[in-house]
C-alpha cells in the first residue's frame, strides 16, 4: 500500500529475494539519436505508451541526474541529453500476471538508461518512481525496501540484506497458475486496500515491523524452517487483506489453493518445512 502514489512511497518497509536472470528476466535496450523525432517505447514487441507517468518519471529523473553529473557543461563526446530515445523491453515470463513484471521492467529500464547516460550512482530511488518493488530489483540476493521518513522520498531506498551467494542451497520454484493479466492491477488494488482495509493498517503498523526483523534473522542464519513458515504465514495475511478490501480482491485461484494445500501435506509428511 502507498500513502503517496506520485512518489510511490510505501506504508511499510518490505523484503524480497531477487530471482536468477537465467530463468526469469526482462531484457531492455535503450538508444538515443539525433535522427529520432520522438520518444518511443515497445513492450514485448508491441508499441506502448511512452507518455505513461511512471515511464516519464524514470526518464526525467535519469536525465536530471545526468545533467547534474555533467554540471551543465557541454560534453561533445557524451550522448546529448536533448536526443529523443527509443526503448524496447521484453519479458521472458507472463506480464502483469503477478510475477513482478513491473519490478523487473522498471529496474531494467533504469539500469539501461543509466548505462546510456553514463551514470554510476545508486539508482534504487529512481527505479522506485517507476514501480515501488523495482527499487528492490536493482540488487541481487535479499533486499529490503526501507520505507523512509522524509516526505520527498529521498530516503525510501533499497538496501541489500545479503548477497545472492549467502544462501546457495535456497531454490525458488515458480508455478505459473495462469499467464493471464490480473483482474485487478497491483497499484489499483493496493490503493483500494489502503482506503478500505482496517487489517492492512494493523498489518503495516504492528505485524510487518516484527516480521521483517524475524525474516532478516532467518535469512542471516539460513534457517529454512523459520524462513518458510514465516513466508507462508505472511502470504496468508496478505491475501487476508485482499479479502478485507472492499470490494474484495481475489488473487488466489482454485489451483492456487490446491498448491497451498499440497505444500502443507508435503511438509506434514516429512515432519518439517521443506517447501
Amino acid at each position: 500500500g502507498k500513502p503517496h502514489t506520485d512518489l510511490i512511497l510505501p506504508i511499510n518497509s518490505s523484503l524480497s529475494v531477487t530471482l536468477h536472470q537465467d530463468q526469469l528476466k526482462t531484457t531492455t535496450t535503450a538508444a538515443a539519436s539525433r535522427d529520432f523525432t520522438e520518444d518511443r517505447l515497445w513492450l514485448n514487441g508491441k508499441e506502448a505508451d511512452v507518455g505513461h507517468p511512471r515511464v516519464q518519471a524514470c526518464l526525467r529523473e535519469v536525465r536530471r541526474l545526468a545533467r547534474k553529473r555533467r554540471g551543465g557543461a557541454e560534453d561533445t563526446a557524451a550522448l546529448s541529453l536533448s536526443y529523443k530515445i527509443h526503448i524496447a523491453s521484453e519479458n521472458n515470463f507472463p506480464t502483469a500476471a503477478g510475477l513482478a513484471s513491473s519490478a523487473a521492467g522498471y529496474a531494467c529500464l533504469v539500469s539501461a538508461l543509466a548505462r546510456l547516460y553514463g551514470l554510476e550512482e545508486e539508482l534504487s530511488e529512481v527505479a522506485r518512481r517507476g514501480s515501488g518493488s523495482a527499487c528492490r530489483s536493482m540488487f541481487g540476493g535479499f533486499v529490503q525496501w526501507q520505507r523512509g521518513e522524509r516526505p520527498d522520498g529521498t530516503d525510501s531506498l533499497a538496501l541489500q540484506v545479503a548477497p545472492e551467494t549467502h544462501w546457495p542451497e535456497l531454490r525458488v520454484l515458480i508455478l505459473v497458475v495462469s499467464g493471464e493479466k490480473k483482474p485487478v492491477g497491483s497499484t489499483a488494488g493496493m490503493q483500494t486496500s489502503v482506503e478500505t482495509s482496517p487489517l492492512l493498517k494493523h498489518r503495516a503498523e504492528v505485524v510487518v515491523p516484527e516480521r521483517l526483523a524475524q525474516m532478516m534473522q532467518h535469512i542471516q542464519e539460513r534457517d529454512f524452517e523459520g524462513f518458510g513458515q514465516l513466508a507462508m504465514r505472511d502470504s496468508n495475511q496478505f491475501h487476508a487483506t485482499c479479502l478485507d478490501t472492499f470490494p474484495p480482491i481475489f488473487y488466489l485461484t482454485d489451483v492456487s489453493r490446491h498448491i497451498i494445500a499440497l505444500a502443507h501435506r508435503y511438509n506434514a509428511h516429512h515432519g518439517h518445512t521443506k517447501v
Side-chain angles (χ1 to χ4, degrees), residues 178-247:
S178 171
E180 298 299 313
K181 187 176 180 179
K182 294 190 301 256
V184 179
S186 299
T187 299
M190 284 187 289
Q191 192 57 36
T192 306
S193 294
V194 167
E195 294 168 356
T196 65
S197 172
L199 178 57
L200 182 67
K201 186 175 188 296
H202 172 75
R203 171 176 163 78
E205 294 176 356
V206 179
V207 179
V208 169
E210 180 181 344
R211 285 186 171 176
L212 197 62
Q214 290 174 347
M215 185 60 89
M216 286 194 285
Q217 183 177 350
H218 294 323
I219 291 168
Q220 293 297 343
E221 296 174 355
R222 294 192 287 271
D223 173 11
F224 187 78
E225 184 79 16
F227 174 89
Q229 288 204 17
L230 187 55
M232 288 187 282
R233 288 178 182 274
D234 205 61
S235 172
N236 291 342
Q237 191 177 83
F238 162 74
H239 288 291
T241 65
C242 292
L243 288 176
D244 192 46
T245 299
F246 192 81

Side-chain angles (χ1 to χ4, degrees), residues 7 47-49 55 85 89 94 102 120 127 151 191 210 216 234 243:
L7 292 176
E47 187 152 12
D49 179 18
V55 175
I85 191 167
S89 187
S102 293
E120 297 176 354
Q191 192 57 36
E210 180 181 344
M216 286 194 285
D234 205 61
L243 288 176

Side-chain angles (χ1 to χ4, degrees), residues 82-93:
S82 65
Y83 291 169
K84 299 298 182 182
I85 191 167
H86 285 186
I87 303 162
S89 187
E90 190 87 24
N91 297 322
N92 74 342
F93 58 95

Side-chain angles (χ1 to χ4, degrees), residues 257-272:
R257 286 184 279 270
H258 284 308
I259 293 170
I260 291 170
L262 175 63
H264 284 289
R265 289 200 302 273
Y266 186 83
N267 289 333
H269 173 77
H270 289 278
H272 61 98

